[in-house]
Amino acid sequence: MMKGLLLKEFYVASRTCRSILFVAVVFFALSFFGRDSQFFFLYPLMMVSLFPVTLLSYDERDGWDKYSLTLPCTRAQLVSAKYLIGLIFGGAVFLLAELLLAVRLFLNGAFDAGAFLSLSSALLLLGLLGPSLLMPFTFKFGSEKGRMAYYLVIVLLFAAIALLAGMGFYTYLEKFSWLVIGAAVLLYLGSWRLSIFFYEKREL
């Protein structure tokens, strides 16, 4: 059943989120022309990682959330399908961003393993932070109420990025890269479990 749910999510995402994928390609291309390219890698990663929230809104609009109750699947599986499709798309974009970042650093003669790891950990943390914060809220209250939270999270994340970059946050990450990576993974897993709890209690 999980395979069928994932195929459904993939089909809907591939048809409804093409514009976001196009924006991701454009930003990755622009990353080779700007001096400070972190933003060009981070923005598409954050947008793609929020695919599950967009898919939830389509589910509610089309009545899938109620129809799915007649299927031989649990609410935990429905939630898990959203988190897994987020990992699949977000993971693919993250790996592509890592490859392009490494290429850019090599071309500039500035590749350093420690700095690369610190930037990678920052990308991973900020890429997972949005869905980790937003998904439980959306599963608990629905996409209509979640829409305002969606825009609020986007604004707060970019404000935090700008603030941390101005404070030289990336220079301190090298010492704590693995800790940041572990925290990002635990945050996403905790959000996953919390969303299951909320969705199982929610009346549809």
Side-chain angles (χ1 to χ4, degrees):
M1 190 63 198
M2 181 59 71
K3 181 180 178 180
L5 290 174
L6 287 174
L7 285 174
K8 173 261 178 188
E9 301 295 351
F10 183 83
Y11 175 75
V12 176
S14 63
R15 290 184 60 86
T16 59
C17 301
R18 292 176 181 174
S19 60
I20 297 177
L21 292 174
F22 175 75
V23 170
V25 171
V26 171
F27 268 72
F28 282 150
L30 290 174
S31 69
F32 283 88
F33 299 97
R35 287 187 59 191
D36 188 6
S37 63
Q38 287 87 352
F39 173 78
F40 294 106
F41 290 114
L42 181 59
Y43 181 77
L45 177 60
M46 288 176 55
M47 297 305 295
V48 172
S49 69
L50 289 171
F51 266 6
V53 180
T54 304
L55 296 176
L56 272 170
S57 67
Y58 281 110
D59 283 352
E60 293 186 11
R61 186 196 68 180
D62 297 335
W64 165 261
D65 55 334
K66 295 180 177 60
Y67 172 76
S68 63
L69 299 178
T70 66
L71 300 176
C73 59
T74 65
R75 293 198 182 192
Q77 288 176 317
L78 293 170
V79 173
S80 296
K82 290 291 190 297
Y83 274 83
L84 287 172
I85 205 69
L87 283 179
I88 291 170
F89 278 97
V93 173
F94 175 75
L95 292 176
L96 180 58
E98 290 286 277
L99 176 61
L100 294 176
L101 178 60
V103 170
R104 188 180 191 279
L105 292 173
F106 271 118
L107 291 176
N108 293 339
F111 184 85
D112 176 77
F116 179 74
L117 180 60
S118 66
L119 286 173
S120 300
S121 64
L123 286 175
L124 182 64
L125 174 63
L126 295 171
L128 292 180
L129 190 59
S132 296
L133 294 176
L134 193 54
M135 293 280 280
F137 186 93
T138 308
F139 273 111
K140 182 174 177 62
F141 297 107
S143 61
E144 286 300 319
K145 293 182 179 179
R147 186 172 290 112
M148 290 304 298
Y150 175 91
Y151 294 116
L152 180 61
V153 166
I154 291 292
V155 171
L156 291 177
L157 280 176
F158 280 108
I161 292 167
L163 178 63
L164 292 173
M167 296 170 59
F169 175 69
Y170 294 114
T171 61
Y172 297 102
L173 270 180
E174 189 170 341
K175 297 179 181 179
F176 306 103
S177 295
W178 291 111
L179 182 62
V180 171
I181 292 172
V185 172
L186 289 176
L187 180 65
Y188 195 79
L189 292 176
S191 170
W192 191 335
R193 187 66 192 92
L194 188 61
S195 291
I196 291 175
F197 174 79
F198 284 151
Y199 201 57
E200 286 178 339
K201 299 295 184 182
R202 181 180 165 193
E203 291 186 11
L204 296 175

